[in-house]
Amino acid sequence: MKKILFALIALTLFIACNPDNAEPQIAKDYTAENEKEITDYIAKNNLTAQRSDTGLYYIINEPGEGTQPTATSNVTVAYKGYYTSGKIFDQSTSAGVSFGLNQVIKGWTEGIPYFKTGGSGVLLIPSHLAYGSFDYRGIPGGSVLIFDVKLISVN
């Protein structure tokens, strides 16, 4: 009985000390919403895209002729990132940015290896392959991210 009473008191103190009695954030599943948003975007813009088993959509404008990276390669990529609204949230210079594909969002880890060096195209990434259901550095949770990419090199 003492243990139950102690547990209730501890729980009450924990709730009372929780700032603004804030509810813990629970991840929301945006899969169906993201799928519709992507397919609507593809239709509206008259695009032809491939869909992977994970839900990543990709368009290969230029396949490239050089080395094809793997999910653990270090690459240099020039890119522009934007939402389906067209609003740009990030962009590299034409010289690109170098990084390991195992250090970026899952959509890039999966999508960049569809290209060979010199290749370019578009990645349409649902939130579960990006930042999930939570806000991240100004990107709202649940966002579909679109990237125009050019694979400059596999380093």
Side-chain angles (χ1 to χ4, degrees):
M1 188 65 160
K2 280 185 174 181
K3 288 182 182 180
I4 293 173
L5 184 59
F6 178 75
L8 288 173
I9 291 171
L11 180 61
T12 303
L13 287 174
F14 176 76
I15 291 171
C17 293
N18 187 4
D20 298 324
N21 289 327
E23 293 291 321
Q25 288 188 331
I26 299 172
K28 179 179 176 189
D29 184 1
Y30 286 93
T31 305
E33 292 170 48
N34 287 174
E35 181 73 16
K36 181 173 179 356
E37 184 176 344
I38 291 171
T39 55
D40 287 352
Y41 179 86
I42 290 169
K44 177 182 173 189
N45 292 284
N46 199 27
L47 302 172
T48 302
Q50 302 296 313
R51 184 185 188 280
S52 75
D53 291 340
T54 65
L56 172 72
Y57 282 82
Y58 60 96
I59 301 166
I60 299 176
N61 295 329
E62 189 68 41
E65 297 182 3
T67 305
Q68 190 161 9
T70 66
T72 58
S73 294
N74 185 285
V75 297
T76 301
V77 176
Y79 68 91
K80 177 173 74 171
Y82 51 99
Y83 305 109
T84 56
S85 68
K87 181 181 178 191
I88 297 171
F89 61 82
D90 194 14
Q91 187 169 5
S92 74
T93 65
S94 60
V97 177
S98 298
F99 49 81
L101 286 176
N102 57 349
Q103 300 171 324
V104 292
I105 60 174
K106 292 176 185 178
W108 276 58
T109 303
E110 177 184 346
I112 296 298
Y114 287 119
F115 305 96
K116 294 180 180 176
T117 301
S120 64
V122 181
L123 300 176
L124 298 104
I125 304 174
S127 62
H128 72 273
L129 297 176
Y131 299 110
S133 62
F134 302 107
D135 296 353
Y136 180 79
R137 295 187 177 184
I139 297 174
S143 294
V144 169
L145 306 181
I146 303 174
F147 290 94
D148 294 338
V149 297
K150 178 171 180 62
L151 179 57
I152 297 171
S153 66
V154 179
N155 308 320

